[in-house]
Structure formats: C-alpha cells, structure tokens
Amino acid sequence: MMITPEYCVAMARYNAWQNRQLKAAFEALPAAELTKNRKAFFGSLLGTANHLLWGDLMWMSRFDGGTAPEGGIGGSTGLCETGLAWSVERFRADARILLWAEGLHAVDLVGDLTWWSGALGREMRKPRSLCVVHMFNHQTHHRGQIHAMLTAAGAVAPVSDLPFMPEDGPWL
C-alpha cells in the first residue's frame, strides 16, 4: 500500500474540520445530552469522542514518538470529563496530527511499524502506511457513530462529505 504525504495532510485537515464541527454541535447541546448513554459501543457522545481522541493520541505516539495517553481502550471513554475539556484536548491533538502530516516525506510512510498492543497483549508489526490509513479510517468510523447519535438526539449533525471540505482553512 502506498500513500503520500499529501494524502496525510488532506486527511489531517479533514479530521480538524470535522472536529471543529463536532465541537460546535457539542456546544449546542446541554451537558447531560453529551453524557447520556445512547447504547452506542462507547456509550455516549462524549464517551465516543473521548475514545476517538484516545485512539488518535495512541497512534500519534507511535508515529511521532510523542506522549501516549494513559490507560487502555476500556478507560478511553473517560479521557475528558466535559465537552469543554474534550474540545481543548481535541484542538491540541488535531494540531499535533496536522504538524506531523505537514512534516512527512514519502520515505516516512514506507516500511513497517512495530509496537506493543495493549488490546491484544502482544507485539505487533504492520506496514506503516496501513497504520496511518487505519488511524484516519478509525476517525471516520467513530465520527459516523457520533453523527448518528447527534441525529437521534435531534441535533444538527455536521456535514461530513470529504468533497465539501472547504479548500481554505482554518484547519484548526
């Protein structure tokens, strides 16, 4: 699988655009709506958003060598206690992802990535490009769940179609 640095920048911008829209949608809801158990895999809107943030931070620690989040998948839903705390940490994570993507060279996306998987309890080794694509796919997957929960809650869900992404930032 071959991906390019340009793909990574485009997906990092898409990620930031989507998360800005989620922030606005979350701010329009009462706090109780964010934490209400909606019987989703990660429970609530905030729980799912937290898991997504946790996953991004975990993958970025593998890609850029920076700090990883504490705990495992089971505790990922409690990463941030409030929508405001989530939006601050999400902004930081999106900046980290975009900065990483903007600094990539083609050679940075080849070869294998080796890491310890707490979820599987063993060392993993996969093509780096596959792991990068997975991170962006994981984002889209969980934002789709959030979109469905927002719609079910009667909220206005964000526009998520990649072709409708504004060509000019701001990306953060």
Side-chain angles (χ1 to χ4, degrees):
M1 171 183 290
M2 183 59 187
I3 58 172
T4 65
E6 292 80 13
Y7 165 83
C8 295
V9 170
M11 294 310 294
R13 289 176 176 171
Y14 175 72
N15 170 64
W17 173 55
Q18 289 299 290
N19 289 325
R20 276 196 327 279
Q21 292 185 85
L22 288 183
K23 177 183 180 285
F26 287 2
E27 287 172 347
L29 291 173
E33 288 295 313
L34 285 178
T35 56
K36 179 181 177 181
N37 187 341
R38 299 184 182 279
K39 310 227 186 280
F41 192 80
F42 291 105
S44 66
L45 286 159
L46 185 58
T48 304
N50 274 331
H51 169 74
L52 175 50
L53 173 60
W54 179 90
D56 285 350
L57 294 173
M58 186 60 72
W59 280 109
M60 285 308 302
S61 72
R62 295 167 182 155
F63 299 150
D64 70 6
T67 304
E70 293 185 17
I73 292 173
S76 66
T77 59
L79 190 62
C80 299
E81 292 185 20
T82 66
L84 178 60
W86 172 84
S87 68
V88 169
E89 293 307 315
R90 184 72 259 181
F91 180 83
R92 288 181 180 143
D94 291 348
R96 180 178 176 184
I97 294 167
L98 185 57
L99 184 64
W100 164 79
E102 289 175 337
L104 286 173
H105 300 281
V107 69
D108 299 324
L109 297 168
V110 298
D112 287 343
L113 178 68
T114 303
W115 74 97
W116 176 261
S117 170
L120 297 179
R122 64 182 169 95
E123 186 174 274
M124 298 290 297
R125 184 180 180 98
K126 296 288 178 183
R128 183 173 300 272
S129 59
L130 179 72
C131 295
V132 171
V133 169
H134 170 73
M135 179 184 74
F136 292 124
N137 189 57
H138 183 256
Q139 294 168 348
T140 300
H141 167 69
H142 287 302
R143 277 195 303 264
Q145 292 174 324
I146 292 169
H147 191 280
M149 286 187 272
L150 285 169
T151 302
V156 176
V159 174
S160 60
D161 297 315
L162 185 57
F164 301 140
M165 180 174 71
E167 293 192 28
D168 300 343
W171 301 114
L172 297 175

